[in-house]
Amino acid sequence: MRVAGPLRIVVLILTAGLTWILGSILLGTHGSSFSRLQQLFSSPENAVTTEPRARKYKCGLPQPCPEQHLAFRVVSGAANVIGPKICLEDKMLMSSVKDNVGRGLNIALVNGVNGELLEARSFDMWAGDVNDLLKFIRPLHEGTLVFVASYDDPATKMNDETRKIFSELGSTNAKELAFRDSWVFVGAKGVQDKSPFEQHVKNSKNTNKYEGWPEALELEGCIPQRTVGTQ
C-alpha cells in the first residue's frame, strides 16, 4: 500500500506531459517546441566532434607527387626482428608479407621511365657470397633506379668494388657502411651527383635504440621519371 502514493504521482506527471504535447499539437505550437528539443540535443555541447583524418597519398605520403614523378617509401628493418619495406607508386615491391626480404641488403631494381619493377632480391651480407650481389648490380642499364633497405647487417661482406658501385649510383654513405648499421638509399645508374635520397645511422652501443642495433630508418619522396631514352 505504501507504493500506491508514488505511483499516483508518476501517473499524474505522465498525464500532464501527454496533455501538454496534445495541446501543443492542437494549437500549432508542437513544431516549434519539437524544434527546440532538436536544437537542445544537437547543440555543439552535446554533439560528438571528430577531427578529420589526414589524407594519405601513394605509399602513405602526406602529399601527392607532381606529374611525371614516382612516389616511394623505403623502410629499413628493425634490428633482426621486423623486415624492411620498399613501396613504389602504392605497390609494395618488397616486404615480409610478400616473403621476399632477408638479412643483409634488400634491393629493388626499377625501370626509371615507366616505374615497372625489373627485379627484387635480398643478399645476405653476413654469411652470403658478395659475388652474388656484384653480379646483380654490375650490369645495370643507364637510368635504372635502385632502391636499397638494410636488415640486420648490411656490410660485413662488402668489399671495395661493392662500395664503389653504390657510390657511383649516388650513395654518400656506402664507403663507411659497417656491421649492423641502418641504411636506406635510392640511387640510379648514370647519375652525375650524389642522391638526395639516403639515410644512414651507425651501430653504436651509446646511441642504439635496440640492443645491438640502431633505430630503423624511413625514407620517402618523389623521384622524377626519365623522359628520354629507354633502359
Side-chain angles (χ1 to χ4, degrees), residues 20-42:
W20 176 77
I21 292 173
L22 289 172
S24 297
I25 294 172
L26 292 173
L27 294 174
T29 60
H30 176 66
S32 59
S33 300
F34 184 70
S35 298
R36 291 191 192 99
L37 287 173
Q38 283 185 314
Q39 292 174 4
L40 174 64
F41 287 107
S42 62

Side-chain angles (χ1 to χ4, degrees), residues 3-102:
V3 182
L7 283 175
R8 290 194 186 98
I9 294 173
V10 172
V11 171
L12 287 172
I13 293 173
L14 291 174
T15 303
L18 290 171
T19 302
W20 176 77
I21 292 173
L22 289 172
S24 297
I25 294 172
L26 292 173
L27 294 174
T29 60
H30 176 66
S32 59
S33 300
F34 184 70
S35 298
R36 291 191 192 99
L37 287 173
Q38 283 185 314
Q39 292 174 4
L40 174 64
F41 287 107
S42 62
S43 65
E45 295 179 357
N46 297 313
V48 178
T49 58
T50 57
E51 295 184 2
R53 293 182 179 179
R55 183 175 177 183
K56 295 293 185 180
Y57 296 88
K58 291 178 179 179
C59 290
L61 269 62
Q63 58 187 16
C65 289
E67 291 186 10
Q68 302 301 315
H69 283 68
L70 302 172
F72 77 90
R73 169 173 276 135
V74 180
V75 183
S76 71
N80 62 345
V81 179
I82 302 175
K85 297 178 182 178
I86 299 177
C87 174
L88 181 69
E89 285 293 287
D90 237 14
K91 296 179 181 178
M92 195 62 68
L93 305 184
M94 302 189 75
S95 70
S96 296
V97 174
K98 292 182 70 70
D99 195 27
N100 63 348
V101 297

